[in-house]
Amino acid sequence: MLRFLGYELELFAVGRIVGRDGVSVRHGADLNGGRWLIVGLEEDADRLVWVCAPVTSRMLEEVAAGRADAWDAVCHSVTGMADVVMVDGGRAVPDRCVRSLDLNPAHPTDLVGGQLLAA
């Protein structure tokens, strides 16, 4: 179970979806039962980066069935926003809420308008 505790965003990972291109994709729920898509961009011992976006049940089903891309779901999140959750060097970095349209899957370490996720 993947839990984002100690962050403003608290999610409980419910399951894993087979991702494409080596991207880890999970789905989870918040404390209110809202559905979230969790896309792992970096998952090594020194640095973990996840992008979490609220999605509809139908979008989650489409991603799980392979009929929709996880990044498309993130870019079209329910709120138009996504949370970037990161652990760098074993320490939690404050999560960021960013506009989904500012995320660029081609540059996963440089997601937000040219800013690096970790200083």
Side-chain angles (χ1 to χ4, degrees), residues 16-51:
R16 178 169 272 215
I17 299 171
V18 175
R20 293 183 228 162
D21 301 323
V23 175
S24 171
V25 180
R26 295 177 175 91
H27 61 95
D30 60 23
L31 297 174
N32 297 319
R35 307 248 189 237
W36 289 73
L37 192 64
I38 304 165
V39 180
L41 297 179
E42 294 184 37
E43 295 185 333
D44 61 37
D46 293 328
R47 183 175 162 95
L48 305 168
V49 180
W50 299 280
V51 176

Short mmCIF file of all heavy atoms in Angstrom, two decimals, residues 16-51:
data_model
loop_
_atom_site.label_atom_id
_atom_site.label_comp_id
_atom_site.label_asym_id
_atom_site.label_seq_id
_atom_site.Cartn_x
_atom_site.Cartn_y
_atom_site.Cartn_z
N ARG A 16 -2.77 -1.32 -8.81
CA ARG A 16 -1.76 -0.99 -9.81
C ARG A 16 -2.32 -1.25 -11.20
O ARG A 16 -3.01 -2.23 -11.42
CB ARG A 16 -0.53 -1.86 -9.59
CG ARG A 16 0.56 -1.64 -10.61
CD ARG A 16 1.80 -2.31 -10.16
NE ARG A 16 2.48 -1.33 -9.33
CZ ARG A 16 3.79 -1.20 -9.26
NH1 ARG A 16 4.56 -2.01 -9.92
NH2 ARG A 16 4.35 -0.28 -8.52
N ILE A 17 -2.01 -0.34 -12.09
CA ILE A 17 -2.40 -0.46 -13.49
C ILE A 17 -1.11 -0.64 -14.28
O ILE A 17 -0.12 0.03 -14.01
CB ILE A 17 -3.16 0.81 -13.97
CG1 ILE A 17 -4.43 1.00 -13.15
CG2 ILE A 17 -3.45 0.73 -15.45
CD1 ILE A 17 -5.11 2.34 -13.40
N VAL A 18 -1.12 -1.52 -15.25
CA VAL A 18 0.07 -1.73 -16.07
C VAL A 18 0.31 -0.46 -16.89
O VAL A 18 -0.55 -0.03 -17.66
CB VAL A 18 -0.10 -2.95 -17.00
CG1 VAL A 18 1.09 -3.08 -17.93
CG2 VAL A 18 -0.28 -4.20 -16.17
N GLY A 19 1.46 0.17 -16.67
CA GLY A 19 1.78 1.39 -17.39
C GLY A 19 2.59 1.11 -18.64
O GLY A 19 3.18 0.04 -18.78
N ARG A 20 2.60 2.08 -19.52
CA ARG A 20 3.39 1.96 -20.75
C ARG A 20 4.69 2.73 -20.60
O ARG A 20 4.78 3.66 -19.82
CB ARG A 20 2.59 2.56 -21.92
CG ARG A 20 1.37 1.77 -22.25
CD ARG A 20 0.68 2.37 -23.45
NE ARG A 20 -0.72 2.51 -23.14
CZ ARG A 20 -1.54 3.29 -23.78
NH1 ARG A 20 -1.13 4.02 -24.78
NH2 ARG A 20 -2.80 3.35 -23.45
N ASP A 21 5.67 2.36 -21.38
CA ASP A 21 6.95 3.07 -21.43
C ASP A 21 7.64 3.13 -20.08
O ASP A 21 8.29 4.12 -19.75
CB ASP A 21 6.76 4.48 -21.99
CG ASP A 21 6.16 4.48 -23.38
OD1 ASP A 21 6.51 3.57 -24.16
OD2 ASP A 21 5.33 5.35 -23.67
N GLY A 22 7.47 2.11 -19.26
CA GLY A 22 8.15 2.06 -17.97
C GLY A 22 7.58 2.98 -16.91
O GLY A 22 8.19 3.15 -15.86
N VAL A 23 6.43 3.57 -17.16
CA VAL A 23 5.81 4.47 -16.19
C VAL A 23 4.93 3.64 -15.26
O VAL A 23 4.12 2.84 -15.70
CB VAL A 23 4.97 5.55 -16.90
CG1 VAL A 23 4.23 6.40 -15.90
CG2 VAL A 23 5.86 6.41 -17.78
N SER A 24 5.11 3.83 -13.97
CA SER A 24 4.30 3.15 -12.97
C SER A 24 2.98 3.90 -12.81
O SER A 24 2.96 5.11 -12.60
CB SER A 24 5.04 3.13 -11.64
OG SER A 24 4.22 2.67 -10.61
N VAL A 25 1.86 3.18 -12.92
CA VAL A 25 0.55 3.81 -12.79
C VAL A 25 -0.24 3.05 -11.73
O VAL A 25 -0.36 1.83 -11.78
CB VAL A 25 -0.22 3.79 -14.13
CG1 VAL A 25 -1.58 4.44 -13.97
CG2 VAL A 25 0.58 4.47 -15.21
N ARG A 26 -0.75 3.81 -10.77
CA ARG A 26 -1.58 3.25 -9.70
C ARG A 26 -2.86 4.06 -9.62
O ARG A 26 -2.95 5.15 -10.16
CB ARG A 26 -0.85 3.32 -8.37
CG ARG A 26 0.41 2.48 -8.30
CD ARG A 26 1.09 2.68 -6.95
NE ARG A 26 2.21 1.81 -6.78
CZ ARG A 26 3.45 2.10 -7.11
NH1 ARG A 26 3.74 3.26 -7.64
NH2 ARG A 26 4.42 1.25 -6.91
N HIS A 27 -3.81 3.54 -8.90
CA HIS A 27 -4.99 4.33 -8.60
C HIS A 27 -5.22 4.27 -7.10
O HIS A 27 -4.78 3.34 -6.42
CB HIS A 27 -6.22 3.87 -9.39
CG HIS A 27 -6.63 2.46 -9.13
ND1 HIS A 27 -7.60 2.14 -8.21
CD2 HIS A 27 -6.20 1.29 -9.66
CE1 HIS A 27 -7.77 0.83 -8.20
NE2 HIS A 27 -6.93 0.29 -9.07
N GLY A 28 -5.85 5.31 -6.59
CA GLY A 28 -6.05 5.39 -5.16
C GLY A 28 -7.31 6.16 -4.83
O GLY A 28 -8.06 6.57 -5.72
N ALA A 29 -7.50 6.35 -3.55
CA ALA A 29 -8.67 7.08 -3.06
C ALA A 29 -8.22 8.04 -1.97
O ALA A 29 -7.28 7.78 -1.23
CB ALA A 29 -9.69 6.10 -2.51
N ASP A 30 -8.93 9.16 -1.90
CA ASP A 30 -8.67 10.10 -0.80
C ASP A 30 -9.60 9.76 0.36
O ASP A 30 -10.38 8.81 0.30
CB ASP A 30 -8.80 11.55 -1.26
CG ASP A 30 -10.17 11.90 -1.79
OD1 ASP A 30 -11.17 11.24 -1.44
OD2 ASP A 30 -10.26 12.87 -2.57
N LEU A 31 -9.52 10.54 1.42
CA LEU A 31 -10.30 10.25 2.62
C LEU A 31 -11.81 10.41 2.39
O LEU A 31 -12.60 9.88 3.16
CB LEU A 31 -9.84 11.15 3.76
CG LEU A 31 -8.40 10.94 4.21
CD1 LEU A 31 -7.99 11.97 5.26
CD2 LEU A 31 -8.20 9.53 4.73
N ASN A 32 -12.18 11.12 1.33
CA ASN A 32 -13.60 11.31 1.01
C ASN A 32 -14.10 10.30 -0.02
O ASN A 32 -15.23 10.39 -0.47
CB ASN A 32 -13.84 12.73 0.48
CG ASN A 32 -13.53 13.77 1.53
OD1 ASN A 32 -13.85 13.61 2.70
ND2 ASN A 32 -12.87 14.84 1.11
N GLY A 33 -13.24 9.39 -0.43
CA GLY A 33 -13.63 8.38 -1.42
C GLY A 33 -13.43 8.80 -2.86
O GLY A 33 -13.82 8.08 -3.77
N GLY A 34 -12.86 9.98 -3.08
CA GLY A 34 -12.59 10.44 -4.44
C GLY A 34 -11.52 9.58 -5.10
O GLY A 34 -10.59 9.11 -4.45
N ARG A 35 -11.67 9.36 -6.38
CA ARG A 35 -10.73 8.52 -7.15
C ARG A 35 -9.57 9.37 -7.65
O ARG A 35 -9.76 10.48 -8.13
CB ARG A 35 -11.44 7.90 -8.33
CG ARG A 35 -12.68 7.17 -7.95
CD ARG A 35 -12.50 5.71 -8.15
NE ARG A 35 -13.78 5.04 -7.99
CZ ARG A 35 -13.97 4.09 -7.11
NH1 ARG A 35 -13.00 3.70 -6.34
NH2 ARG A 35 -15.14 3.51 -7.01
N TRP A 36 -8.37 8.79 -7.59
CA TRP A 36 -7.16 9.47 -8.02
C TRP A 36 -6.32 8.54 -8.88
O TRP A 36 -6.24 7.35 -8.60
CB TRP A 36 -6.33 9.91 -6.82
CG TRP A 36 -6.94 11.05 -6.06
CD1 TRP A 36 -8.03 10.99 -5.25
CD2 TRP A 36 -6.49 12.38 -6.05
NE1 TRP A 36 -8.28 12.22 -4.74
CE2 TRP A 36 -7.36 13.11 -5.21
CE3 TRP A 36 -5.45 13.05 -6.68
CZ2 TRP A 36 -7.20 14.46 -4.97
CZ3 TRP A 36 -5.28 14.41 -6.43
CH2 TRP A 36 -6.16 15.10 -5.59
N LEU A 37 -5.69 9.10 -9.87
CA LEU A 37 -4.71 8.40 -10.68
C LEU A 37 -3.35 8.83 -10.19
O LEU A 37 -3.09 10.03 -9.99
CB LEU A 37 -4.89 8.75 -12.16
CG LEU A 37 -4.15 7.90 -13.16
CD1 LEU A 37 -4.64 6.45 -13.10
CD2 LEU A 37 -4.34 8.44 -14.55
N ILE A 38 -2.45 7.88 -9.95
CA ILE A 38 -1.12 8.16 -9.41
C ILE A 38 -0.09 7.67 -10.43
O ILE A 38 0.01 6.47 -10.69
CB ILE A 38 -0.92 7.43 -8.07
CG1 ILE A 38 -2.02 7.81 -7.08
CG2 ILE A 38 0.47 7.73 -7.50
CD1 ILE A 38 -2.12 6.90 -5.87
N VAL A 39 0.64 8.60 -11.02
CA VAL A 39 1.62 8.26 -12.04
C VAL A 39 3.02 8.45 -11.45
O VAL A 39 3.39 9.57 -11.08
CB VAL A 39 1.44 9.13 -13.31
CG1 VAL A 39 2.47 8.77 -14.36
CG2 VAL A 39 0.03 8.98 -13.86
N GLY A 40 3.76 7.37 -11.34
CA GLY A 40 5.12 7.42 -10.78
C GLY A 40 6.12 7.77 -11.86
O GLY A 40 6.27 7.04 -12.83
N LEU A 41 6.77 8.90 -11.70
CA LEU A 41 7.74 9.34 -12.71
C LEU A 41 9.14 8.85 -12.39
O LEU A 41 9.89 8.48 -13.29
CB LEU A 41 7.74 10.86 -12.82
CG LEU A 41 6.43 11.47 -13.29
CD1 LEU A 41 6.56 12.97 -13.33
CD2 LEU A 41 6.07 10.93 -14.64
N GLU A 42 9.50 8.91 -11.14
CA GLU A 42 10.81 8.42 -10.71
C GLU A 42 10.59 7.60 -9.45
O GLU A 42 9.94 8.05 -8.52
CB GLU A 42 11.76 9.59 -10.41
CG GLU A 42 12.11 10.42 -11.61
CD GLU A 42 13.13 11.50 -11.29
OE1 GLU A 42 14.03 11.24 -10.47
OE2 GLU A 42 13.01 12.58 -11.85
N GLU A 43 11.13 6.40 -9.45
CA GLU A 43 10.96 5.52 -8.29
C GLU A 43 12.26 4.80 -8.01
O GLU A 43 12.35 3.59 -8.12
CB GLU A 43 9.81 4.55 -8.52
CG GLU A 43 8.47 5.24 -8.63
CD GLU A 43 7.30 4.27 -8.75
OE1 GLU A 43 7.50 3.14 -9.25
OE2 GLU A 43 6.19 4.64 -8.35
N ASP A 44 13.29 5.57 -7.66
CA ASP A 44 14.54 4.93 -7.27
C ASP A 44 14.79 5.23 -5.80
O ASP A 44 14.03 5.94 -5.16
CB ASP A 44 15.71 5.35 -8.16
CG ASP A 44 16.00 6.84 -8.13
OD1 ASP A 44 15.88 7.45 -7.04
OD2 ASP A 44 16.37 7.39 -9.17
N ALA A 45 15.86 4.68 -5.26
CA ALA A 45 16.11 4.78 -3.83
C ALA A 45 16.34 6.22 -3.36
O ALA A 45 16.03 6.56 -2.23
CB ALA A 45 17.31 3.92 -3.46
N ASP A 46 16.88 7.07 -4.21
CA ASP A 46 17.21 8.44 -3.81
C ASP A 46 16.12 9.45 -4.12
O ASP A 46 16.08 10.52 -3.54
CB ASP A 46 18.50 8.90 -4.49
CG ASP A 46 19.70 8.13 -3.99
OD1 ASP A 46 19.70 7.73 -2.81
OD2 ASP A 46 20.62 7.91 -4.79
N ARG A 47 15.26 9.13 -5.06
CA ARG A 47 14.29 10.14 -5.49
C ARG A 47 13.00 9.45 -5.96
O ARG A 47 13.02 8.60 -6.84
CB ARG A 47 14.88 10.95 -6.62
CG ARG A 47 14.02 12.08 -7.11
CD ARG A 47 14.84 12.85 -8.15
NE ARG A 47 14.01 13.68 -8.97
CZ ARG A 47 13.78 14.96 -8.74
NH1 ARG A 47 14.31 15.55 -7.71
NH2 ARG A 47 13.03 15.65 -9.57
N LEU A 48 11.91 9.86 -5.38
CA LEU A 48 10.59 9.37 -5.76
C LEU A 48 9.74 10.56 -6.17
O LEU A 48 9.67 11.55 -5.44
CB LEU A 48 9.93 8.65 -4.59
CG LEU A 48 10.73 7.51 -3.96
CD1 LEU A 48 10.10 7.08 -2.65
CD2 LEU A 48 10.81 6.35 -4.92
N VAL A 49 9.11 10.47 -7.33
CA VAL A 49 8.23 11.54 -7.81
C VAL A 49 6.95 10.92 -8.34
O VAL A 49 7.01 10.04 -9.20
CB VAL A 49 8.90 12.38 -8.93
CG1 VAL A 49 7.95 13.48 -9.39
CG2 VAL A 49 10.21 12.97 -8.47
N TRP A 50 5.82 11.38 -7.82
CA TRP A 50 4.52 10.93 -8.29
C TRP A 50 3.68 12.15 -8.66
O TRP A 50 3.74 13.17 -7.99
CB TRP A 50 3.76 10.16 -7.22
CG TRP A 50 4.41 8.91 -6.76
CD1 TRP A 50 4.42 7.70 -7.38
CD2 TRP A 50 5.15 8.74 -5.56
NE1 TRP A 50 5.13 6.79 -6.63
CE2 TRP A 50 5.59 7.41 -5.50
CE3 TRP A 50 5.51 9.59 -4.51
CZ2 TRP A 50 6.34 6.90 -4.46
CZ3 TRP A 50 6.25 9.09 -3.47
CH2 TRP A 50 6.65 7.75 -3.46
N VAL A 51 2.89 12.00 -9.70
CA VAL A 51 1.90 13.01 -10.05
C VAL A 51 0.54 12.37 -9.79
O VAL A 51 0.25 11.29 -10.28
CB VAL A 51 2.03 13.44 -11.53
CG1 VAL A 51 0.92 14.41 -11.90
CG2 VAL A 51 3.39 14.08 -11.77
#
